[in-house]
Amino acid sequence: MNPVNIAQPASGIRSGLNDPDVVSPSTRRIRSFVRREGRMTRAQQRALTALWQRFGVDAGVAPLDPTVLFGRHAPLVLEIGFGDGEALATMASTDPMANYLGLEVHRPGIGHLLLRAEALALTNLRVMCADAVEVLERQMPDDCLDQVRIFFPDPWPKARHHKRRLIQPSFVALLVQKLKSGGQLHIATDCEDYARSILSILNATSELNNRAPGHGFMPHPMHRPPTKFEQRGWRLGYAVRDILFARRDRIE
Ligand SMILES: C[S@@+](CC[C@H](N)C(=O)[O-])C[C@H]1O[C@@H](n2cnc3c(N)ncnc32)[C@H](O)[C@@H]1O
């Protein structure tokens, strides 16, 4: 682990990530984020330097070994795009029997999460500053995730930007490959049009089974803490949709 990578803008994200032999063209085209550095507090900057060695995992090309990362064997929960990480810190602290891995590209948010992780003395949380598409393609072993959570992925509301939405059939195929049999995919969004698109993509994915009655949306599950982005939507009067699917058993 290298604290220098993460403490500097835009590094620690792309390290070793440009080998065209490793990334398949199908998912490489999804560019679901714009790299905005935003304002970083002194405390967040300090956290990126001082706490990275404790909680951080450098992105690269080597396959991840969750048992080595966490120093134990336990169910693995992946949160993609955790923002400021408040929800992730809450989930990890209230579910100590599971291992939590967070992926995010926004460094101030990562710094915020590292501070929370330190304050809560979390031992079951690891963080990567990296594009989830690249980590899943290059480093995540198949058949290893018990849960994937994607709360309020960037909605990209304009039609010409829909190609930037993270939840597309090629990305879902990648997630399916990484989920264990019975593993769950939980997505929440307050963009109605995106919610319907996600629901129809997942309902059309034969390896996934909708856990909601009538193949629709799920009532808000108790284990999902409110997120910062969600609370902004509440103030604007947006309705939230939860979507929960499980990976069907693999046929040997
Ligand atoms: C709309 S915000 C929601 C953040 C948080 N989940 C919340 O609800 O407050 C979406 C987040 O996903 C992150 N993100 C988008 N695409 C990503 C990707 N490919 N890999 C990792 N993070 C990504 C963005 O940086 C951003 O912080």
Side-chain angles (χ1 to χ4, degrees):
M1 296 179 203
N2 181 358
V4 176
N5 277 353
I6 185 70
Q8 299 300 322
S11 66
I13 299 175
R14 306 284 304 169
S15 50
L17 294 180
N18 290 317
D19 181 354
D21 291 339
V22 183
V23 177
S24 84
S26 55
T27 42
R28 189 175 43 180
R29 277 186 238 113
I30 302 179
R31 187 66 170 173
S32 58
F33 57 90
V34 174
R35 206 181 300 282
R36 281 191 212 93
E37 189 54 16
R39 201 180 77 81
M40 171 104 66
T41 66
R42 272 173 197 269
Q44 289 165 357
Q45 183 69 54
R46 181 196 66 77
L48 289 176
T49 306
L51 299 176
W52 187 251
Q53 220 149 0
R54 184 161 152 202
F55 298 105
V57 179
D58 285 334
V61 291
L64 297 171
D65 181 339
T67 307
V68 172
L69 281 188
F70 291 90
R72 65 172 186 173
H73 185 72
L76 181 57
V77 183
L78 175 70
E79 184 178 354
I80 295 174
F82 56 73
D84 71 0
E86 283 288 339
L88 179 52
T90 301
M91 293 187 298
S93 68
T94 54
D95 183 18
M97 300 309 284
N99 292 333
Y100 280 77
L101 176 64
L103 303 181
E104 177 55 73
V105 292
H106 183 60
R107 290 183 340 117
I110 295 171
H112 185 95
L113 173 61
L114 295 178
L115 291 169
R116 293 293 294 139
E118 180 187 40
L120 293 165
L122 296 178
T123 57
N124 62 337
L125 176 73
R126 298 290 180 273
V127 181
M128 292 179 79
C129 179
D131 179 346
V133 177
E134 294 183 338
V135 172
L136 286 166
E137 283 198 330
R138 294 170 171 234
Q139 295 191 265
M140 192 65 71
D142 289 351
D143 203 7
C144 81
L145 298 172
D146 292 86
Q147 306 257 345
V148 177
R149 297 179 182 168
I150 309 175
F151 299 152
F152 305 91
D154 292 293
W156 294 108
K158 291 181 184 157
R160 70 173 189 278
H161 290 149
H162 284 184
K163 59 180 178 294
R164 304 196 68 146
R165 287 177 166 176
L166 186 60
I167 314 301
Q168 302 187 32
S170 60
F171 184 67
V172 171
L174 189 56
L175 290 175
V176 159
Q177 213 179 307
K178 306 300 167 185
L179 277 168
K180 289 181 185 170
S181 289
Q184 293 196 341
L185 171 60
H186 179 186
I187 302 174
T189 179
D190 60 8
C191 174
E192 187 64 19
D193 161 56
Y194 197 11
R196 291 186 182 286
S197 153
I198 294 168
L199 190 63
S200 104
I201 291 168
L202 299 188
N203 273 330
T205 303
S206 59
E207 298 91 341
L208 294 174
N209 182 22
N210 193 336
R211 307 298 293 161
H215 298 282
F217 298 111
M218 195 77 176
H220 179 171
M222 293 305 289
H223 70 255
R224 182 172 68 71
T227 76
K228 186 174 177 187
F229 193 85
E230 176 175 23
Q231 289 169 45
R232 177 183 154 274
W234 291 346
R235 291 194 290 276
L236 297 169
Y238 296 163
V240 173
R241 299 293 196 178
D242 281 88
I243 299 165
L244 185 67
F245 280 68
R247 173 104 179 55
R248 291 183 202 278
D249 282 347
R250 291 169 200 278
I251 298 157
E252 300 302 333

